[in-house]
Amino acid sequence: MSILVVGSVAYDTVETPFGKAERVLGGSASFFSVAASFFTSVNLVGVVGNDFGEKQLAAFRGRNIDLSGLERMDGQTFHWQGKYSYDLNSRDTICTDLNVFEFFKPKIPESYRKSELVFLGNIDPVLQLDVLEQVQKPQVVACDTMNFWIQGKPKELRRTLEKVDVLLVNDAELRQLSGEWNVIKAARAVRAMGPKTLVVKKGEHGVLMVGEESFAAPAYPLEAVFDPTGAGDTFAGGFLGYLAAAGNAKDETLRRAVIMGSTLASFCVEAFSLDRLLKLTRKEIDDRFRLFKRLTHFEDI
Amino acid sequence: MSILVVGSVAYDTVETPFGKAERVLGGSASFFSVAASFFTSVNLVGVVGNDFGEKQLAAFRGRNIDLSGLERMDGQTFHWQGKYSYDLNSRDTICTDLNVFEFFKPKIPESYRKSELVFLGNIDPVLQLDVLEQVQKPQVVACDTMNFWIQGKPKELRRTLEKVDVLLVNDAELRQLSGEWNVIKAARAVRAMGPKTLVVKKGEHGVLMVGEESFAAPAYPLEAVFDPTGAGDTFAGGFLGYLAAAGNAKDETLRRAVIMGSTLASFCVEAFSLDRLLKLTRKEIDDRFRLFKRLTHFEDI
C-alpha cells in the first residue's frame, strides 16, 4: 500500500540538557515520511514558506517520498521552539510561530487520491475530515490529535474519529478524550467513537495497543536519549509504513508494526532533528528489531 | 530452594478513591511470604505486638510458611496509614507508627540457617548485613531498600550491597542510589556496587531487569486497580518464589520469574490488603501468566 500523510513541515529550535539545535528540519510530516519511506512509498501533503530551500528538501530526496503535495506559500515556514529538562518526558514550548501553516488547507493532488493508507497528522479535525473527502476510499485511515483539538473542537474531532480505523494518541490525550482515568476503560470508550485500533504512546514507558486483543511493548532502553522531538511521529511512520508494506492489518502484523514503530523512534531520539534517521540503514533497523525481540522474550510455562 | 524473608509484618490503614480499609494485614514480609508460598517453602522472620492475634496469623496458616521466626514483643504492631489519589502511582503517608518494629533485631532460628535463598526486605542495611552473618552461605541473596536508607545510611547500604546478588528497587531509588538519571547508566553503576542482577520496578509501567542481558516487561493492564499497597513486595515474592522453585538463576528462568512476579502483583492490586492473594489459586496464576505471554508476544521478522 502507498501512504498519504498530511501534517506539518517545520523548522524546530530545540534545547536539551545535551545541546541546542537552531532552525533544524522538523514537523510531524517530516519525521513521519522519512520513517515510513523505509517500507513503502509516501505521498506528502504539507506547506512551507519561501525560507524553505533545496537544502531542507534534500532530506526527502532520493527516498520513496513524493513531494508534489508539498505546497509553497509566500511567508515563513512554521517554526517551533522548545526546551527539555533532564526528565525528557516533559518539555516547555518557548514559541510556536505558525506562519504559513496557519493558512494551511490541504489540497490532495490527483495522483495521491488512490493512496491506500491515509495518515491524518495532528491538524484541525475539520481539515482532517476535508482530506478524507478528497480521497477515494482508503483501506486504512489512521489519525493523530492533541489536547488543543480535544478541548477546542470536541464535536468536530468526534466526526473525524467516526471515519478513523487507527488512532494514535499519548496516555494524557487518551484520558482527556475519554474522560476516564483508567487506560483500559478509556480505550474502550474511545473505540466506541470509531477507531477499532488504539495505539497509546507512553514515551519512555513504551506503547499499549488496544484492539480485539491488547499488546504491550516497552520503549527500547537507550543509554543516551539526546532529543525526543519527533519520536511520536517517527513511531507513527514506522508503524504505518510497516503496516502498509505488509498490506494487511491482521493482529500479528499490527504487533510487529508497533515494534517497528518503536524501533524507528528509538533511533530518532539519538540525535537532533532527523539527523539519525537520515543516516539509518534497513539493516540497522532489522538488527534493532531483533534486539527488541530479545529484550521482551520469555518462554511460556 | 527454600526462602528466608526478613521484613515487616504490619497493620495498614489505606484509603484509595475506591474505598477505605482500617488496620488490615500488611507489611513487606506478609505480602512477600504469601506470594512466594505458591512456589516454595518460606521461612518468615519479623516481629509483631500483643495486638496481633490468631485471626491475622490465619493468613499464613495452611500455606508453605514457617512462622518460627515471627517474634512477638510487648507493645503494638507496626502500623502504616496512607492515602492514594486517582493517580495510583503516588501516595501520601499519613502516619507511620513503628511501634515494636523500631526495636526489631532479626534473630534467625537455627532451622532457618540453611535457607538457600535469602530476601532482605526493606530494613536498616546494618540489620540486613547482620542477617547475612547469621545464615550459612545462601545460593542467592536478594535485597530491597528505599530512599530513607539510600540517603541516611549510604556507607552501610554499600557494605550490604557488596553481598547482594539481586537488588529490587524502583526507578526513583535507582536514580538516587547511582546519582545517574538515565536508567541504563544507573543500572551499570549499581551493578558495579555488587548486585549482578538489578530489577527496576516501575509500577504501572512494568519492570526492567538488567543483568548480562536486559529484559523488559509491561505491567498487566487492569481495568480496575483497587489498591496498589504491597504490589512491590508481592512482585518480589512471586519473582523469588518462582526462582527458588526453579532452582537456578539462568537468564531464561529470571525472565519467567519477572513475569511471575508481575502476575502475582497484578492480582494483589485487585483488592485491599492480601484479600485477593489469599483467595488465589495456582490455576489462576498460570492462566494470567499465559495472558502475559499473549500480551507481549510478537513474531520475529
Side-chain angles (χ1 to χ4, degrees), chain B residues 144-162:
Chain B
D144 186 11
T145 191
M146 70 183 293
N147 52 2
F148 185 75
W149 307 119
I150 295 170
Q151 191 164 14
K153 298 208 173 178
K155 283 181 199 164
E156 294 82 350
L157 180 58
R158 290 291 283 268
R159 273 197 288 275
T160 300
L161 288 180
E162 286 173 17

Side-chain angles (χ1 to χ4, degrees), chain A residues 79-209:
Chain A
H79 176 237
W80 174 81
Q81 183 168 357
K83 187 175 176 174
Y84 295 84
S85 63
Y86 269 96
D87 174 2
L88 294 164
N89 275 330
S90 67
R91 68 183 182 194
D92 292 320
T93 288
I94 292 167
C95 73
T96 305
D97 303 317
L98 289 175
N99 298 329
V100 298
F101 197 62
E102 191 177 347
F103 311 103
F104 182 43
K105 295 254 182 277
K107 286 174 281 294
I108 312 302
E110 186 60 41
S111 61
Y112 283 13
R113 296 192 179 175
K114 289 186 179 168
S115 302
E116 290 137 310
L117 194 156
V118 173
F119 178 60
L120 304 167
N122 166 30
I123 56 173
D124 186 332
V126 175
L127 296 180
Q128 290 179 323
L129 203 57
D130 186 58
V131 167
L132 292 182
E133 280 161 11
Q134 295 180 59
V135 295
Q136 290 182 27
K137 192 166 172 43
Q139 290 183 45
V140 179
V141 176
C143 175
D144 186 11
T145 191
M146 71 184 291
N147 51 2
F148 185 76
W149 308 119
I150 295 170
Q151 189 163 15
K153 297 206 172 179
K155 283 183 198 162
E156 294 83 350
L157 180 58
R158 291 292 283 267
R159 273 197 289 276
T160 299
L161 288 180
E162 286 172 17
K163 314 256 182 214
V164 167
D165 302 300
V166 182
L167 177 67
L168 296 101
V169 281
N170 68 38
D171 39 359
E173 290 159 356
L174 174 68
R175 287 177 170 134
Q176 194 183 9
L177 181 58
S178 63
E180 286 280 356
W181 180 267
N182 180 280
V183 170
I184 303 299
K185 285 183 186 160
R188 188 191 301 144
V190 171
R191 289 185 73 213
M193 298 176 191
K196 291 182 303 294
T197 301
L198 202 67
V199 179
V200 187
K201 299 175 289 178
K202 302 190 292 175
E204 64 162 334
H205 301 302
V207 171
L208 179 69
M209 178 169 66

Side-chain angles (χ1 to χ4, degrees), chain B residues 66-93:
Chain B
D66 189 327
L67 296 174
S68 3
L70 183 62
E71 189 184 348
R72 189 175 295 273
M73 213 183 273
D74 266 348
Q76 298 279 302
T77 301
F78 179 19
H79 176 237
W80 173 80
Q81 182 167 357
K83 187 175 175 174
Y84 295 84
S85 64
Y86 268 96
D87 173 3
L88 294 165
N89 275 328
S90 67
R91 67 183 182 192
D92 292 321
T93 288

Side-chain angles (χ1 to χ4, degrees), chain B residues 6-77:
Chain B
V6 182
S8 61
V9 175
Y11 284 119
D12 285 348
T13 296
V14 181
E15 194 175 343
T16 79
F18 316 110
K20 187 171 179 178
E22 295 207 46
R23 292 183 65 79
V24 291
L25 181 59
S28 62
S30 305
F31 286 102
F32 180 95
S33 298
V34 169
S37 71
F38 284 98
F39 306 98
T40 191
S41 56
V42 180
N43 299 322
L44 191 157
V45 173
V47 64
V48 291
N50 303 320
D51 56 345
F52 199 88
E54 195 52 42
K55 189 189 155 204
Q56 284 72 34
L57 288 172
F60 305 119
R61 305 273 193 216
R63 293 174 186 272
N64 235 337
I65 303 174
D66 189 327
L67 296 174
S68 3
L70 183 62
E71 189 184 348
R72 189 175 295 273
M73 213 183 273
D74 266 348
Q76 298 279 302
T77 301

